[in-house]
Amino acid sequence: MKLELGNFYVKDIVFGTRTAYADGILTINKEEALAVVKEDEHITEADFVIVKPGDMVRLVPVKEAIEPRHRIGGGSIFPGVTGDLMQAGNGRTLALKDCSVLVVGKHWGGFQDGLIDMGGEGAKYTYYSQLKNIVLVADTDEEFERYEQQKKNHALRWAGMRLAEYIGSCVKDMEPETIEIYELAPVTKRTVEENTLPNVVLVLQPQSQMEELGYNDLVYGWDCNRMVPTFMHPNEVLDGAMISGSFMPCSSKWSTYDFQNFPMIKRLYQEHGKTINFLGVIMSNLNVALEQKNRAALFVAQMAKSLGADAAVVAEEGYGNPDADFIACIVALEDAGVKTIGLTNECTGRDGASQPLVTLDAKADAIVSCGNVSEMIILPPMETVIGELQALARDGLSGGWSNDAILGPSVREDGSIIMENNAMFCGDQVVGWSTKTMVEF
């Protein structure tokens, strides 16, 4: 498979009479974009706001992030989701870089939603404060889940994907400013030089715990709860085969933007043919029952060994119950003779003193920590709030609360907030671009 990602680098975003890109300026026709959003009759209110790094703006509840793209030669940028099923990872896809489409609820949030500060102290906690963002602020008539803590957010998330396709299409007839090429030969047809290097496989465990459909990550539109570990080409992940789900404490979540730009995949590509032979991706899952977890771990280990893997990197989306899948997978790989590194965040409590993972094993002796989900964060009032600040306290966001006997409410009367890192939108970045570092005292 050979994937060409043609990049256009967005320096600024403005509203105008037509949706177009020129000289680094992305112009959006607001009325046309709203018409795309409102193709779903469940969208009752919608508007757009443009936010940029350094703006004193707080966004909450944030539900999704997507990179605007266009697939050359036809087909949707999310096969099996926004268009017909087709192979992802081949050909040329155009991408508008340094920007994203953010989807924000106008009122109602839930367990899986988060917060972004574009400026001030809070900006350092999430990657998305570094991007120019087209923010879709919308509400729906999905009354059946309005008061549910866990929401599918279907209408809003799908509206964001349609919007990303609409915006991305403005560069369809243009030559990209740079081109990234991602190409791997079939595993059995690598060069002699590649085959002399250590064989490395990346194991991804996307969120798939919910047995009811509609909450989990999707692979080509297929709910990951219904899959068994599957060997995938890394290009498929980078090219729209994976869609973020709506269930996961937000700092642990992998957004669709994260899948489209997966830094760990790109880093392994950089080392391919130099220090490693990058075999590809084993897409696993996160299960509920212990037997299911152990079965998936055995599948992964067998697949890695059959591929000839000498080493593996395992990354989990989430914490708590998924820790059992994560550790079981690492142990099974180690037992198969595959040296394994794990990527995960931790839940060590607000004081940092609790056991970091629900389950541990002596064989899991090489783990990269991406931060503590329970770390307390206190932020001052923000000049502008997009969405509804009270959602952080009222609607069960995983890092917020309506009232605490000692700390009081997450949202204080002056607009300042106290919350756990849990509520930072995709804040831990297990995918590989976390800005956090470890300090030893």
Side-chain angles (χ1 to χ4, degrees):
M1 273 191 185
K2 180 179 179 180
L3 172 65
E4 294 183 354
L5 286 178
N7 298 323
F8 299 83
Y9 297 91
V10 176
K11 299 174 184 176
D12 199 7
I13 306 173
V14 297
F15 292 120
T17 57
R18 57 189 291 264
T19 298
Y21 175 86
D23 300 322
I25 309 301
L26 174 61
T27 303
I28 298 174
N29 181 310
K30 198 171 185 179
E31 293 307 312
E32 286 185 3
L34 282 172
V36 171
V37 168
K38 291 183 176 180
E39 287 174 7
D40 187 337
E41 62 183 12
H42 293 291
I43 305 288
T44 56
E45 299 179 73
D47 197 5
F48 296 114
V49 181
I50 296 168
V51 297
K52 304 167 189 177
D55 287 351
M56 299 306 286
V57 173
R58 179 165 291 157
L59 307 165
V60 64
V62 185
K63 301 175 181 294
E64 174 66 296
I66 309 150
E67 184 170 77
R69 289 188 173 187
H70 177 78
R71 189 181 303 281
I72 296 295
S76 69
I77 60 174
F78 302 114
V81 179
T82 57
D84 292 340
L85 193 61
M86 62 175 289
Q87 182 73 64
N90 272 320
R92 177 176 287 191
T93 294
L94 305 179
L96 290 163
K97 309 303 292 186
D98 301 326
C99 73
S100 81
V101 170
L102 292 180
V103 180
V104 175
K106 187 169 183 178
H107 300 294
W108 303 97
F111 176 75
Q112 64 290 315
D113 298 334
L115 179 144
I116 296 172
D117 274 2
M118 293 301 298
E121 170 69 12
K124 70 182 183 183
Y125 289 97
T126 173
Y127 176 81
Y128 294 92
S129 64
Q130 304 173 38
L131 302 178
K132 279 78 71 177
N133 298 301
I134 307 103
V135 184
L136 167 61
V137 191
D139 197 14
T140 79
D141 65 0
E142 294 166 307
E143 296 293 336
F144 64 93
E145 67 175 10
R146 172 154 289 177
Y147 299 104
E148 295 292 331
Q149 186 184 28
Q150 295 170 2
K151 298 174 173 59
K152 297 179 181 180
N153 285 326
H154 183 276
L156 295 181
R157 291 191 295 130
W158 261 245
M161 286 185 279
R162 292 195 306 276
L163 181 61
E165 290 189 324
Y166 163 75
I167 294 171
S169 68
C170 74
V171 294
K172 63 182 180 181
D173 298 319
M174 301 174 65
E175 278 299 310
E177 295 160 19
T178 64
I179 297 176
E180 301 172 46
I181 297 177
Y182 297 96
E183 185 174 15
L184 286 178
V187 173
T188 58
K189 296 183 179 180
R190 302 285 170 90
T191 66
V192 173
E193 291 77 16
E194 289 169 337
N195 284 327
T196 61
L197 297 169
N199 298 315
V200 178
V201 67
L202 175 62
V203 180
L204 300 181
Q205 295 179 312
Q207 204 294 119
S208 53
Q209 286 180 280
M210 297 295 282
E211 295 184 344
E212 181 180 340
L213 300 181
Y215 292 98
N216 299 311
D217 293 355
L218 302 179
V219 52
Y220 286 109
W222 185 258
D223 193 295
C224 289
N225 183 267
R226 301 296 194 262
M227 69 180 288
V228 293
T230 301
F231 185 64
M232 293 182 66
H233 197 288
N235 290 5
E236 295 178 278
V237 180
L238 296 176
D239 196 31
M242 298 296 301
I243 298 299
S244 175
S246 73
F247 169 72
M248 181 51 59
C250 204
S251 72
S252 305
K253 189 189 297 192
W254 298 349
S255 71
T256 298
Y257 183 101
D258 290 336
F259 281 118
Q260 291 173 299
N261 293 277
F262 217 105
M264 182 51 67
I265 290 178
K266 292 187 176 183
R267 187 73 179 94
L268 291 169
Y269 253 119
Q270 287 175 4
E271 294 301 317
H272 177 69
K274 300 175 185 176
T275 62
I276 65 169
N277 181 23
F278 181 24
L279 297 175
V281 173
I282 298 176
M283 192 65 65
S284 189
N285 49 358
L286 299 170
N287 301 285
V288 177
L290 183 59
E291 181 184 4
Q292 296 169 347
K293 297 174 186 290
N294 291 334
R295 184 183 298 113
L298 292 175
F299 265 115
V300 170
Q302 176 276 128
M303 203 175 298
K305 197 65 177 176
S306 296
L307 288 167
D310 301 303
V313 178
V314 179
E316 69 164 329
E317 182 184 10
Y319 67 93
N321 186 291
D323 293 344
D325 305 74
F326 178 67
I327 294 297
C329 186
I330 292 174
V331 170
L333 286 164
E334 290 282 347
D335 286 345
V338 180
K339 295 182 178 181
T340 305
I341 293 173
L343 307 178
T344 182
N345 54 14
E346 306 173 57
C347 183
T348 60
R350 293 175 179 177
D351 60 358
S354 298
Q355 178 172 305
L357 302 176
V358 166
T359 180
L360 295 170
D361 192 282
K363 294 174 183 176
D365 58 359
I367 292 180
V368 177
S369 170
C370 299
N372 176 19
V373 301
S374 302
E375 178 186 355
M376 295 297 295
I377 298 171
I378 300 175
L379 298 174
M382 190 62 77
E383 292 176 8
T384 302
V385 175
I386 296 174
E388 189 170 10
L389 183 58
Q390 195 57 41
L392 174 66
R394 182 193 62 216
D395 298 337
L397 272 64
S398 50
W401 54 86
S402 59
N403 193 40
D404 181 274
I406 298 173
L407 300 173
S410 275
V411 178
R412 296 163 170 169
E413 289 185 4
D414 65 352
S416 63
I417 59 175
I418 179 170
M419 56 180 260
E420 292 182 354
N421 173 57
N422 246 325
M424 280 293 173
F425 182 74
C426 300
D428 297 329
Q429 292 297 350
V430 174
V431 296
W433 48 25
S434 175
T435 57
K436 298 174 184 175
T437 57
M438 297 297 290
V439 177
E440 185 173 344
F441 294 95

